[in-house]
Amino acid sequence: MKTTKKGDWFEIIIPPDWNEFTIDHILRVVWNGPKKLIHMLKMEKQVTVNGVPVDWHSPLNRGDRLQLKFFADADFGVIPSYQDIDVLYEDDHLLVVNKPAGLDTHPNDLKQNNTLANVVAYYLQAKGEFRKVLHIHRLDKDTTGAVLFAKHAFVGAILDRMLERRQITRTYLALVEGILHKKKATIKEPIGRDRHHPTRRRVSPSGQPAITHYKVLKVYRNKQQTLIQCSLETGRTHQIRVHLSSIGHPLIGDILYGGAATFPRQALHAAKMTFIHPLTGEFIECLAPFNDETSIFPDDGIELLNMHKDLTS
């Protein structure tokens, strides 16, 4: 599908398989767009065909130019703050960033300026793109790896829905204490707050359902450690950390959940992200290299991950 950005407008050349589709059908059915934003686009006449407004229920023809006003300038919503940034993928609609350790994903108050969202805002500002910074998911402060951001509200709402429906696959690498004897397993234990600790979570019968899949990639018997890949069916706070601790194999360095302080943070890295681009239909795959100055992960960790199929496939 041929798409281009022309100023504030996103333009699509209607492909053969969209012949006789209507604007309404494309926005509601093909893209599964949010009703509120579709209504706004319609009321504010921010959708045209071949440069002019048309009836949203009239059939389009192959080769027509469908234009949508997605790229109007907007306030970042956070304070732009400079820091080196590792962009894994970017186009006009979204970007995937490799988050370093020690950064929150987004501010907890309006004055905070030392988060990944602030760094993304500065990066966009330097490029002359004034977009509200919209994170689609988050990672813990000391977890590294791929984080997805949307550049405008329409694609952000679609990505939010895709995440809920497990249409965005995130695969983690984790280094745990001890030797995992099951090569592949699923942990299904509900997770709730620990009333004795303000930030810790725990397995609790009254908690929210949580499902973690893992597969062993490599065993280091001399160190009594195991490298595993994990994927989630749910997105509870600290889910991987809680689940692995609950089976007696906490993450290396995760002192909050019983891991030994042999590494300055929990050994958890969001190494891979895959999804179908919600507007162009392209398959997007991002691999996040380790970015710690002295990483505890083995050098072949990403290669080992790539040799195995995703657990959700």
Side-chain angles (χ1 to χ4, degrees):
M1 184 189 305
K2 184 178 179 181
T3 66
T4 55
K5 178 180 179 294
K6 295 187 174 181
D8 292 348
W9 296 80
F10 173 52
E11 181 176 284
I12 302 170
I13 306 300
I14 297 299
D17 54 339
W18 283 16
N19 194 50
E20 297 194 352
F21 280 11
T22 66
I23 294 172
D24 187 70
H25 179 80
I26 292 170
L27 268 64
R28 288 192 307 105
V29 180
V30 177
W31 287 342
N32 196 21
K35 291 180 180 179
K36 182 178 179 181
L37 293 181
I38 290 174
H39 179 73
M40 184 195 74
L41 289 170
K42 189 172 186 178
M43 291 299 99
E44 297 185 6
K45 297 185 176 6
Q46 294 182 345
V47 181
T48 63
V49 176
N50 300 322
V52 297
V54 298
D55 184 345
W56 277 37
H57 297 282
S58 296
L60 300 172
N61 299 309
R62 174 182 178 178
D64 279 343
R65 293 177 294 115
L66 174 62
Q67 297 128 344
L68 306 101
K69 193 174 184 180
F70 283 160
F71 305 117
D73 287 353
D75 186 271
F76 294 116
V78 297
I79 303 167
S81 178
Y82 174 75
Q83 183 170 320
D84 286 340
I85 188 170
D86 182 11
V87 176
L88 303 174
Y89 174 84
E90 181 180 13
D91 61 23
D92 294 327
H93 308 280
L94 54 89
L95 73 161
V96 181
V97 179
N98 192 8
K99 188 182 90 66
L103 282 185
D104 288 322
T105 300
H106 58 86
N108 295 311
D109 60 66
L110 294 176
K111 295 181 180 179
Q112 189 175 356
N113 66 357
N114 58 341
T115 76
L116 187 63
N118 300 99
V119 177
V120 168
Y122 187 97
Y123 170 79
L124 294 175
Q125 179 179 257
K127 295 178 59 182
E129 294 186 29
F130 295 87
R131 309 277 180 261
K132 185 173 178 61
V133 177
L134 303 166
H135 66 278
I136 302 304
H137 62 100
R138 59 181 294 276
L139 294 177
D140 293 341
K141 183 175 184 178
D142 286 324
T143 297
T144 54
V147 179
L148 175 61
F149 289 86
K151 289 189 179 183
H152 56 83
F154 191 86
V155 79
I158 299 174
L159 289 169
D160 283 339
R161 191 170 296 161
M162 288 173 63
L163 190 70
E164 291 175 4
R165 295 178 177 177
R166 295 176 54 216
Q167 294 170 331
I168 299 173
T169 300
R170 293 177 290 157
T171 307
Y172 296 79
L173 285 174
L175 192 63
V176 303
E177 294 188 5
I179 307 301
L180 280 164
H181 298 291
K182 287 186 178 179
K183 299 302 180 185
K184 187 176 181 180
T186 297
I187 306 171
K188 295 183 179 180
E189 295 288 353
I191 292 175
R193 289 183 175 274
D194 186 336
R195 65 178 184 273
H196 302 297
H197 195 286
T199 59
R200 192 164 51 204
R201 301 296 191 272
R202 65 186 181 91
V203 166
S204 168
S206 61
Q208 295 177 299
I211 302 173
T212 302
H213 305 283
Y214 75 81
K215 180 194 289 185
V216 171
L217 297 181
K218 196 169 185 178
V219 172
Y220 303 92
R221 294 192 179 278
N222 59 328
K223 296 182 178 180
Q224 288 294 294
Q225 296 174 355
T226 306
L227 178 70
I228 62 174
Q229 73 176 77
C230 301
S231 67
L232 309 178
E233 284 195 32
T234 51
R236 310 304 175 205
T237 300
H238 298 177
Q239 179 173 321
I240 292 174
R241 300 166 65 186
V242 173
H243 271 170
L244 291 171
S245 178
S246 75
I247 63 171
H249 295 279
L251 297 175
I252 300 295
D254 193 0
I255 57 174
L256 184 63
Y257 292 104
T262 52
F263 188 57
R265 64 174 182 89
Q266 67 267 11
L268 184 62
H269 180 71
K272 186 177 181 180
M273 179 184 296
T274 61
F275 57 95
I276 302 298
H277 195 294
L279 299 183
T280 69
E282 296 172 277
F283 175 72
I284 307 297
E285 179 180 83
C286 299
L287 288 173
F290 304 126
N291 53 19
D292 290 59
E293 290 184 5
T294 53
S295 178
I296 192 173
F297 286 101
D299 292 338
D300 60 351
I302 300 293
E303 293 176 21
L304 287 167
L305 179 66
N306 249 354
M307 289 167 58
H308 292 74
K309 290 184 178 181
D310 285 333
L311 292 167
T312 53
S313 61

Coordinates of all heavy atoms in Angstrom, one line a residue, residues 30 43 94 99 124 218 220 239 301:
V30 N -11.7 -1.7 8.7 CA -10.4 -2.1 8.4 C -9.4 -1.7 9.5 O -8.6 -2.5 9.9 CB -10.0 -1.4 7.0 CG1 -8.5 -1.7 6.7 CG2 -10.9 -1.9 5.9
M43 N -16.7 15.5 11.7 CA -17.3 16.8 12.0 C -16.4 18.0 11.6 O -16.9 19.0 11.2 CB -17.7 16.9 13.5 CG -18.8 16.0 14.0 SD -20.4 16.3 13.2 CE -20.4 15.1 11.9
L94 N 4.4 6.2 14.5 CA 4.8 5.6 15.8 C 6.3 5.4 15.8 O 7.0 5.6 14.8 CB 4.1 4.3 16.0 CG 4.2 3.2 14.8 CD1 5.5 2.4 15.0 CD2 3.0 2.4 14.8
K99 N 14.7 1.4 25.8 CA 14.8 2.1 27.1 C 16.0 1.6 27.9 O 16.2 0.4 28.0 CB 13.5 1.9 27.9 CG 13.5 2.8 29.2 CD 12.3 2.5 30.0 CE 12.5 1.4 31.0 NZ 13.5 1.7 32.1
L124 N 11.7 14.3 19.2 CA 10.7 14.8 18.2 C 10.8 16.3 18.0 O 10.8 16.7 16.9 CB 9.3 14.4 18.7 CG 8.9 12.9 18.8 CD1 7.5 12.8 19.3 CD2 9.0 12.3 17.4
K218 N 19.1 -21.2 27.8 CA 20.5 -21.7 28.1 C 20.6 -21.9 29.6 O 20.1 -21.0 30.4 CB 21.5 -20.7 27.6 CG 22.9 -21.3 27.5 CD 23.8 -20.4 26.7 CE 25.2 -21.0 26.5 NZ 26.1 -20.1 25.6
Y220 N 23.4 -22.2 32.8 CA 24.8 -21.9 33.2 C 25.0 -22.6 34.5 O 24.8 -22.0 35.6 CB 25.1 -20.4 33.3 CG 24.7 -19.7 32.0 CD1 23.5 -19.1 31.8 CD2 25.7 -19.5 31.0 CE1 23.2 -18.5 30.6 CE2 25.4 -18.9 29.8 CZ 24.1 -18.3 29.6 OH 23.8 -17.7 28.5
Q239 N 4.9 -8.4 36.9 CA 4.4 -9.7 36.7 C 5.4 -10.8 36.6 O 5.4 -11.8 37.3 CB 3.4 -9.8 35.5 CG 2.9 -11.2 35.2 CD 1.9 -11.2 34.1 OE1 1.0 -10.3 34.0 NE2 1.9 -12.3 33.3
G301 N 22.6 -13.7 23.9 CA 21.2 -13.7 24.4 C 20.2 -13.4 23.3 O 19.2 -14.2 23.1

